Amino acid sequence: MPYTNYLKKILTSRVYEITSETPLEFAPQISRRIHNHVYLKREDTHAVFSYKIRGAYNKMAQLTSEQLKKGVITASAGNHAQGVAYSAAKLKCNATIVVPETTPAIKVEAIKRFGGEHVEIVLHGGSYSDALDKALQLEKERKLTFVHPYDDPDVIAGQGTIGMEIMRQFNSVNASAKGPIHAVFVSIGGGGAVTGVAAYIKSVNPDIKVIGVQSVDSDAMLQSIRAGKRVTLKEVGIFADGTAVKQVGKETFRLAQDLVDDYVVVDTDAICAAIKDVFQDTRSILEPSGAMALAGLKKYAEDKGLKGQNLIAVASGANTNFDRLRFVADRVEIGQSREALFAVSIPEERGSFLRLCELVGQERSVTEFNYRMNDKAQAHIMVGIAVHNAKESGKIAEKFSKKGFETTDLTHNELAKQHVRNMVGGVSGNVTDELIYRFEFPERPGVLMHFLTHVSPHWNISLFQYRSEGGDYGSVLVGIQVAKKDRAQFKKFVTTLGYRYWDETENPAYQLFLKA
């Protein structure tokens, strides 16, 4: 077994010199709703509001006095940076923390607050990869010790104390449920937490499943497991920024191959629903990555048909911007499978609305209704309908279609949910050669100007929609008129711009509601 040495490392970890055990709490409302016994391991209750303090301090506490005197360095814009800063203040050693220039001020201020005079913050580049390259350069130049966010045995062992606590605490909180732990769910970024937790649990009780949870747009570990080697994602999603890692660690991948029983992939809506679930049971607000394990737990329980099992989710952190909550609240109903979104085409004649509403029925609530007259023969309506579970949307769409109303299910259409539902009726008959692209722009001054100055004067911007979501990045919808002879040049432009993008020109939400 390639992980047995980790049991001793976890048992002798120095984590408790800086923090205490976090609670393992029964979640009654979630448990009732999904018909299992759900427990939350509250890692958001640490002083830095995330589990990262465990691994950061355990690594730094193992360093020699000479290494501490020279100082440490790391690259991170989030929870690991705060853990290193807090540990540096405790150990009275200097820490250089390299963060991307795009890092929000709230995170930079948190790093300063926890580290005080012991921390130097270096702003460099536009991404974590840029910051990492700079940190590795400074490590050599200044002869500092690098504290890796996840790919280090001492960091992994520090995170492994979560598993040790779960095993010790479960029996004392298990009064309302019978039987052993069925599974423990842990979110995965680079893999330090899931492999540390699994190393301890599998050493003590191999029958307990350890399930890794990833977001659908940042699933480097799952792709690596399937490929049998570490893969590097071309790009990662940014909603769950705490787990947005393009490549997992060498050591974490080695351990995960042997220790992690299964993987669950969840989307943004499911994560938003899990944030609300935790709030309802605890009145605490987790960050997206912090709620990811619970989102995976719910999906796994549904897919496997589990009933009456003891399931534990690691609530890994609560470092989120308050402004992001408006986006979370917007997406919760779909994430909880309580709302379905449709595009419905009906005859532009009297009585059509009534016939459609009669099909919806009095037992269902209409949650959203968007319409503007455009075509004299046919009307395109965007309608939200309350549902009880995810399977109902297909049945509703089929019901509408059978009655002669052409219907497209937009429940999982990102363009519709994030942009078009706010723009229905914005059709122009004067637009030709229009391409529709969705971009993720960093939330920092000058980004829009950078985009506009690089757009060819031969291309006209015909549509633009954006609203701040309170995160590090914002989703922007852009319509640009580009003649067919210039399409190759335009394609080159978007690929060299440096921002994530999606061509939405053929998206049915655009075709039905925005295209002339």
Side-chain angles (χ1 to χ4, degrees), residues 416-438:
K417 292 184 293 185
Q418 198 155 355
H419 294 283
V420 176
R421 70 195 313 175
N422 301 313
M423 303 173 67
V424 170
V427 176
S428 172
N430 300 318
V431 178
T432 58
D433 294 327
E434 185 176 54
L435 298 177
I436 295 291
Y437 274 72
R438 182 162 53 92

Side-chain angles (χ1 to χ4, degrees), residues 232-251:
T232 301
L233 303 182
K234 183 179 179 181
E235 52 192 22
V236 292
I238 46 76
F239 177 66
D241 54 342
T243 48
V245 173
K246 290 184 178 180
Q247 185 183 54
V248 299
K250 290 181 180 179
E251 178 68 355

